[in-house]
Amino acid sequence: MKLPDALLLSLSLALIIVGIHQSLTAGIGASYPIFMFAVALLFWFQYRRIQHPAEPISPQKKTKPGKKR
């Protein structure tokens, strides 16, 4: 996970926590935009993960740099 992905995920989690606090204190109407922004960040995070999947290291790629097969 790269730094922008970690930032998007942690920011969306923080906004969900803030949204829950706002909905308990001021009502769901006041926290609705916060929840929508958190969901938008989660969608953006998922879009980035689909566009750039992590490549697993295969056993064939673990060769030493100077050695030829």
Side-chain angles (χ1 to χ4, degrees), residues 2 11 15 23 27 30 34 38 42-43 46 49 57 62-63 66:
K2 294 184 178 182
L11 184 59
L15 284 174
S23 66
I34 297 170
L42 285 173
F43 280 138
Q46 187 67 24
R49 287 194 56 174
I57 299 173
K62 287 187 177 180
T63 60

Side-chain angles (χ1 to χ4, degrees), residues 6-67:
L7 288 174
L8 282 173
L9 191 60
S10 59
L11 184 59
S12 64
L13 178 65
L15 284 174
I16 288 171
I17 292 170
V18 169
I20 290 171
H21 179 265
Q22 283 292 323
S23 66
L24 292 176
T25 56
I28 194 73
S31 64
Y32 180 77
I34 297 170
F35 282 125
M36 288 301 107
F37 191 57
V39 169
L41 288 177
L42 285 173
F43 280 138
W44 190 13
F45 171 75
Q46 187 67 24
Y47 175 76
R48 286 179 55 88
R49 287 194 56 174
I50 291 172
Q51 291 298 318
H52 303 288
E55 293 183 20
I57 299 173
S58 66
Q60 297 168 350
K61 291 184 180 180
K62 287 187 177 180
T63 60
K64 293 183 181 177
K67 194 174 183 181

